C-alpha cells in the first residue's frame, strides 16, 4: 500500500498554518514510512484514521478523541509503550486520556502524522509545543533514530535561536507550556538569545537613539513575566541603565495607558506596575523623574501596596531637582478611607501629603549627599516648591496649616529670593477671602521681606490683601533697597572718576565744586526757612495794627530782594559765594524793630 502524496497530507492538517515564509518552516520526513493509513478525517470532536486495518486505540486529548492504531505510536513513544493499556468498555480497542498534554489537541495531531510516517512542517509557532510534547511522550532515540526529540531540538537550536523574530515568536508560545518549557530550558535559551542580540546592538547610547524601535516594540509585546526575564537577563549582560530605562518606559507606555478612572478588578495592571518598579535601574540617569511621577500616579490609581508607593516617593525625592511643578500635581484619588471623611481638609483637589513626603525624602537625601560633599540643586527645588504652592493655593479646601507646613519644609537658606513664595501667598489670600487677620499675619510670616525683589516690594506695598504690618515691613525694605542701590552707585562713580583722574583732572574738580555748591544751597535754604518762620510770628503779632501795614510791606519787600540777591550770588561763581551769612542773619533779626 502506497503512502499519500506529501502535498495532499500537508494541506489536510493544521501543522502548516502560520508558516507563510519559507525561512520560517522546515518539512520533516520520518526515516521509515509506515503505510497503514490511507487518509485522516476529522468530524467535530473526533479524529479518525481511514485504513483497511481496523483501529485498536482511542486517545482523548482535551475535548478531542483520536481513534488510531496502537503500533505506530508504541514504536516511537516510550510513554505509550510503557503503559499497560486496559481493554476498553466500548468495542473500540483501548482507551487512553492524556491529561495536561503540552500544546493540546493540535500538537497531538501533528505528532500522530509524524508517527504514521507523514511529512510535517516545523515553524516558530509549533516548535516549542512539539518539543515539549515529544518530551512528554518520550520520543527519544532509544525507540527510533531521528525521533521527534532530536529533530525538534535541532530545529530549535540551529534555526530558531539564530533569528530575532523567530526567537520572540517561540518565546511567546512558551506562555502556556509551563513547566515543560522551563524544564527543557527553552525559556532560558530564548532569553539569552534575545538579551545577547539586544546588548550587542546597543553597545553605545548613540545607537539607541536611532534603533531603539526595532527591538523595543518586539519586547513590549511580551507578557510581564517574560518581559521581566528579558530585562533581568539584559542587565546581567551589562547593558547601560539608560537603555534599560528607555525599554521599561516604552513597555509601560504600551501596557499602562494612564487612565485616571478605573473599573473594579485591575489586578493585572497593578501587577504590571509593581513588576516594572522592581525592574527600574537604581541609577538616576536610568529613568527620568517625570516617569517616576507618572508611575506614582498610576500606583495610586490601581491601589498598589504602600511599600511600592513609598519606594516611588523616595525615588522622586532623590531626583526632585529635575521635576516640574505640574508633574507634582497628583490628584487626590478617592478611596474608601477618604469616603468616610467628610471634612473639607480631606477633599482637596490635589494630594498634598504625597508631596510633603517627597520633600522629606529630598531633605534626607540632600543631607546624605552633603556628608559625601556633593552638591544638590536646592535652589531649583525651592523654585519648584514655590510654583507648586502657587498652583495648589487656588484650592478653596486647602487648609492654612498644610500650606504653611509645606512652605516651611525647606530650610531658610534654601530660598535666595522670596518672590515665588510671595506669589503663592498672594494667590492663597486671593482664593481665601474670608481668612481672619490673625491667619493673614501668620501666613505672611513665611516670607522674608528683605529677600523680595524691588518689583515684588512695589506690588506688595499696594496689595490690600496683606496685613498692615506686612505692608510697613515691605515699605521699609523697599527704602533700604533704594538706599543701598544709591550707595552702590556712588562708590562706583567715585571709582570710575579715580581711574580717570590722570587723564581728566578737571572732572574731579568740577564734582568737588558741585558738591560744595550743593552744601551752600542747603545752608541758605535752612536760613531762609528760619527767617520766614520769624516773619510769620511777627505778622501774627502786628496783624491788628493798621499802621504797621506799610512797615510789613517794606520788610517783605526786603526779604524778597534778599532772596533774589542770594540766588544771583549762587550763579555768579565762587567769588560771590563767600557772602557773609552772619551779617544777613543780623539784618533779619533787626527787621522786627522796623517802624
Amino acid at each position: 500500500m502506497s503512502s499519500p502524496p506529501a502535498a495532499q497530507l500537508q494541506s489536510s492538517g493544521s501543522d502548516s498554518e502560520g508558516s507563510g515564509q519559507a525561512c520560517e518552516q522546515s518539512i520533516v520526513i520520518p526515516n521509515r514510512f509506515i503505510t497503514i493509513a490511507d487518509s485522516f478525517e476529522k468530524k467535530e470532536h473526533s479524529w479518525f484514521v481511514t485504513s483497511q486495518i481496523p483501529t485498536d486505540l482511542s486517545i482523548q486529548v482535551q475535548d478531542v478523541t483520536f481513534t488510531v492504531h496502537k503500533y505506530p505510536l508504541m514504536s516511537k513513544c516510550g510513554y505509550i509503550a510503557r503503559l499497560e493499556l486496559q481493554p476498553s468498555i466500548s468495542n473500540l480497542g483501548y482507551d487512553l486520556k492524556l491529561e495536561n498534554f503540552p500544546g493540546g489537541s493540535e500538537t497531538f495531531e501533528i505528532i500522530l502524522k509524524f508517527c504514521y510516517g507523514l511529512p510535517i512542517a516545523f515553524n516558530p509557532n509549533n516548535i516549542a509545543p512539539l518539543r515539549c510534547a515529544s518530551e512528554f511522550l518520550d520520543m527519544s532515540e532509544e525507540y527510533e533514530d531521528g525521533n521527534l526529540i532530536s529533530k525538534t531540538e535541532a530545529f530549535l537550536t540551529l534555526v530558531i535561536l539564530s533569528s530575532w523574530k523567530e526567537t520572540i515568536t517561540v518565546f511567546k508560545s512558551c506562555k502556556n507550556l509551563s513547566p515543560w518549557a522551563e524544564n527543557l530550558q527553552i525559556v532560558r535559551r530564548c532569553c539569552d538569545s534575545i538579551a545577547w542580540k539586544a546588548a550587542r546592538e546597543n553597545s553605545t547610547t548613540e545607537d539607541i537613539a536611532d534603533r531603539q524601535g526595532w527591538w523595543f516594540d518586539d519586547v513590549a509585546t511580551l507578557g510581564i513575566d517574560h518581559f521581566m526575564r528579558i530585562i533581568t537577563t539584559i542587565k546581567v549582560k551589562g547593558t547601560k541603565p539608560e537603555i534599560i530605562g528607555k525599554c521599561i518606559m516604552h513597555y509601560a507606555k504600551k501596557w499602562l495607558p494612564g487612565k485616571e478612572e478605573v473599573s473594579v478588578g485591575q489586578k493585572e495592571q497593578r501587577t504590571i506596575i509593581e513588576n516594572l518598579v522592581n525592574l527600574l535601574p537604581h541609577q538616576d540617569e536610568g529613568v527620568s523623574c517625570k516617569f517616576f511621577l507618572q508611575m506614582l500616579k498610576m500606583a495610586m490609581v490601581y491601589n498598589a501596596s504602600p511599600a511600592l508607593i513609598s519606594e516611588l516617593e523616595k525615588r522622586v525625592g532623590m531626583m526632585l531637582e529635575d521635576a516640574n511643578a505640574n508633574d507634582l500635581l497628583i490628584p487626590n484619588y478617592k478611596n474608601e478611607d477618604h469616603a468616610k471623611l467628610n471634612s473639607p481638609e480631606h477633599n482637596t483637589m490635589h494630594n498634598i501629603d504625597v508631596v510633603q513626603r517627597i520633600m522629606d525624602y529630598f531633605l534626607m537625601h540632600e543631607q546624605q549627599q552633603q556628608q559625601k560633599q556633593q552638591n544638590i540643586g536646592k535652589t531649583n527645588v525651592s523654585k519648584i516648591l514655590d510654583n507648586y504652592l502657587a498652583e495648589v493655593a487656588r484650592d478653596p479646601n486647602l487648609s492654612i496649616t498644610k500650606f504653611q507646613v509645606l512652605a516651611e519644609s525647606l530650610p531658610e537658606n534654601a530660598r535666595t529670593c522670596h518672590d515665588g513664595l510671595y506669589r503663592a501667598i498672594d494667590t492663597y489670600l486671593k482664593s481665601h477671602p474670608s481668612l481672619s487677620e490673625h491667619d493673614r499675619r501668620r501666613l505672611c510670616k513665611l516670607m522674608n521681606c528683605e529677600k523680595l525683589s524691588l518689583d515684588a516690594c512695589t506690588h506688595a506695598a499696594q496689595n490690600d490683601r496683606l496685613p498692615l504690618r506686612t505692608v510697613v515691613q515691605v515699605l521699609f525694605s523697599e527704602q533700604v533697597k533704594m538706599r543701598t542701590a544709591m550707595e552702590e552707585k556712588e562708590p562706583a562713580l567715585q571709582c570710575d572718576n579715580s581711574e580717570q583722574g590722570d587723564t581728566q583732572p578737571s572732572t574731579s574738580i568740577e564734582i568737588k565744586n558741585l558738591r560744595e555748591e550743593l552744601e551752600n544751597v542747603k545752608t541758605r535754604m535752612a536760613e531762609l526757612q528760619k527767617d520766614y518762620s520769624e516773619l510769620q510770628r511777627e505778622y501774627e503779632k502786628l496783624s491788628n495794627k493798621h499802621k504797621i501795614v506799610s512797615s510789613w510791606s517794606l520788610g517783605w519787600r526786603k526779604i524778597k530782594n534778599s532772596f533774589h540777591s542770594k540766588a544771583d550770588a549762587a550763579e555768579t561763581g565762587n567769588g560771590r559765594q563767600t557772602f557773609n551769612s552772619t551779617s544777613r542773619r543780623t539784618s533779619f533779626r533787626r527787621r522786627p524793630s522796623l517802624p
Side-chain angles (χ1 to χ4, degrees), residues 198-344:
R200 182 190 61 182
E201 293 294 335
N202 297 284
S203 57
T204 61
T205 308
E206 291 75 13
D207 293 337
I208 195 66
D210 299 329
R211 295 183 286 176
Q212 63 178 1
W214 78 267
W215 71 277
F216 279 13
D217 292 336
D218 291 335
V219 173
T221 60
L222 300 173
I224 185 61
D225 294 336
H226 287 166
F227 180 78
M228 289 181 63
R229 294 284 297 269
I230 291 292
I231 297 300
T232 303
T233 308
I234 289 177
K235 285 183 178 180
V236 175
K237 300 294 182 181
T239 305
K240 294 184 178 181
E242 55 266 30
I243 297 177
I244 296 175
K246 285 179 179 292
C247 185
I248 294 175
M249 288 189 289
H250 189 84
Y251 188 89
K253 184 178 180 180
K254 179 179 177 61
W255 290 88
L256 301 175
K259 299 176 182 177
E260 297 199 0
E261 293 183 2
V262 297
S263 58
V264 180
Q266 297 294 333
K267 183 177 180 181
E268 182 179 358
Q269 299 287 343
R270 184 167 59 250
T271 302
I272 292 175
I273 293 172
E274 292 174 351
N275 289 326
L276 289 182
V277 172
N278 293 330
L279 286 175
L280 290 172
H282 295 287
Q283 293 83 349
D284 292 344
E285 65 272 12
V287 180
S288 65
C289 184
K290 182 181 181 68
F291 178 74
F292 276 117
L293 285 168
Q294 291 175 347
M295 292 295 292
L296 177 59
K297 294 176 184 178
M298 296 298 295
M300 297 177 66
V301 169
Y302 292 105
N303 295 322
S305 63
L308 180 74
I309 294 177
S310 178
E311 175 65 19
L312 286 171
E313 292 172 350
K314 183 177 180 180
R315 296 296 296 271
V316 173
M318 294 170 62
M319 305 175 63
L320 190 58
E321 64 270 14
D322 299 327
N324 185 281
N326 292 330
D327 296 332
L328 289 173
L329 296 174
I330 302 174
N332 201 1
Y333 302 107
K334 306 299 178 183
N335 52 33
E336 295 181 359
D337 296 334
H338 281 177
K340 299 177 183 178
L341 301 172
N342 297 323
S343 62

Side-chain angles (χ1 to χ4, degrees), residues 3 20 26 48 70 93 103-104 145 164 178 217 290 310 365 399 463 471 486 498 519 527:
S3 62
S26 175
F48 301 93
K70 178 181 177 181
D145 292 337
W164 171 272
S178 180
D217 292 336
K290 182 181 181 68
S310 178
H365 178 64
S399 66
N463 193 346
V471 174
M486 293 296 294
S498 62
E519 293 296 329
E527 294 173 354

Side-chain angles (χ1 to χ4, degrees), residues 338-407:
H338 281 177
K340 299 177 183 178
L341 301 172
N342 297 323
S343 62
E345 184 175 354
H346 294 89
N347 293 325
T348 54
M349 294 185 294
H350 300 97
N351 197 323
I352 310 298
D353 296 333
V354 172
V355 179
Q356 181 65 61
R357 291 193 294 269
I358 290 174
M359 291 300 304
D360 294 339
Y361 283 123
F362 165 75
L363 294 174
M364 292 171 56
H365 178 64
E366 184 199 20
Q367 185 176 5
Q368 295 174 356
Q369 296 301 316
Q370 287 179 349
Q371 294 176 357
K372 299 178 182 179
Q373 296 182 353
Q374 295 181 5
N375 188 19
I376 294 183
K378 190 190 299 183
T379 303
N380 189 34
V381 171
S382 66
K383 294 179 181 178
I384 296 172
L385 179 61
D386 292 343
N387 292 334
Y388 174 81
L389 289 171
E391 293 293 332
V392 299
R394 298 184 176 92
D395 189 352
N397 294 326
L398 178 61
S399 66
I400 186 174
T401 302
K402 281 194 172 183
F403 184 92
Q404 181 179 4
V405 171
L406 186 58

Side-chain angles (χ1 to χ4, degrees), residues 14-223:
S14 62
D15 55 292
S16 61
E17 295 177 2
S19 56
Q21 297 181 0
C23 63
E24 294 182 357
Q25 67 180 5
S26 175
I27 303 299
V28 177
I29 301 176
N31 295 336
R32 293 182 296 172
F33 288 88
I34 303 176
T35 57
I36 60 175
D38 295 333
S39 64
F40 297 93
E41 185 179 355
K42 185 176 182 180
K43 293 181 179 179
E44 295 181 355
H45 297 290
S46 298
W47 197 90
F48 301 93
V49 176
T50 303
S51 174
Q52 295 179 358
I53 302 175
T55 57
D56 56 359
L57 181 61
S58 178
I59 301 176
Q60 184 178 359
V61 179
Q62 292 180 333
D63 57 348
V64 180
T65 301
F66 296 87
T67 305
V68 295
H69 298 90
K70 178 181 177 181
Y71 175 74
L73 274 71
M74 293 182 65
S75 64
K76 296 183 180 180
C77 302
Y79 176 81
I80 296 178
R82 290 189 296 269
L83 290 177
E84 296 181 0
L85 300 175
Q86 300 297 326
S88 175
I89 297 177
S90 62
N91 295 324
L92 297 176
Y94 297 93
D95 284 341
L96 174 63
K97 186 174 182 179
L98 300 179
E99 299 283 355
N100 301 320
F101 186 78
S105 59
E106 294 181 359
T107 302
F108 188 74
E109 181 179 344
I110 300 174
I111 290 179
L112 280 179
K113 291 181 180 182
F114 178 81
C115 292
Y116 274 98
L118 304 176
I120 62 175
F122 291 162
N123 60 61
N125 294 310
N126 64 20
I127 189 63
L130 284 173
R131 176 66 183 88
C132 296
S134 63
E135 191 73 24
F136 182 94
L137 296 172
D138 190 14
M139 302 177 71
S140 63
E141 300 294 306
E142 179 182 351
Y143 298 93
E144 184 181 83
D145 292 337
N147 210 344
L148 192 58
I149 288 180
S150 60
K151 291 184 181 298
T152 54
E153 186 66 30
F155 185 82
L156 181 64
T157 304
L158 301 177
V159 178
I160 296 299
L161 296 180
S162 62
S163 171
W164 171 272
K165 288 289 185 182
E166 279 68 19
T167 305
I168 292 289
T169 303
V170 172
F171 198 32
K172 292 180 183 178
S173 67
C174 295
K175 182 177 181 181
N176 299 321
L177 297 175
S178 180
W180 291 94
E182 291 285 352
N183 296 335
L184 294 174
Q185 303 295 318
I186 298 176
V187 174
R188 182 191 62 78
R189 286 184 286 173
C190 288
C191 283
D192 291 342
S193 176
I194 294 171
W196 182 79
K197 292 180 176 65
R200 182 190 61 182
E201 293 294 335
N202 297 284
S203 57
T204 61
T205 308
E206 291 75 13
D207 293 337
I208 195 66
D210 299 329
R211 295 183 286 176
Q212 63 178 1
W214 78 267
W215 71 277
F216 279 13
D217 292 336
D218 291 335
V219 173
T221 60
L222 300 173

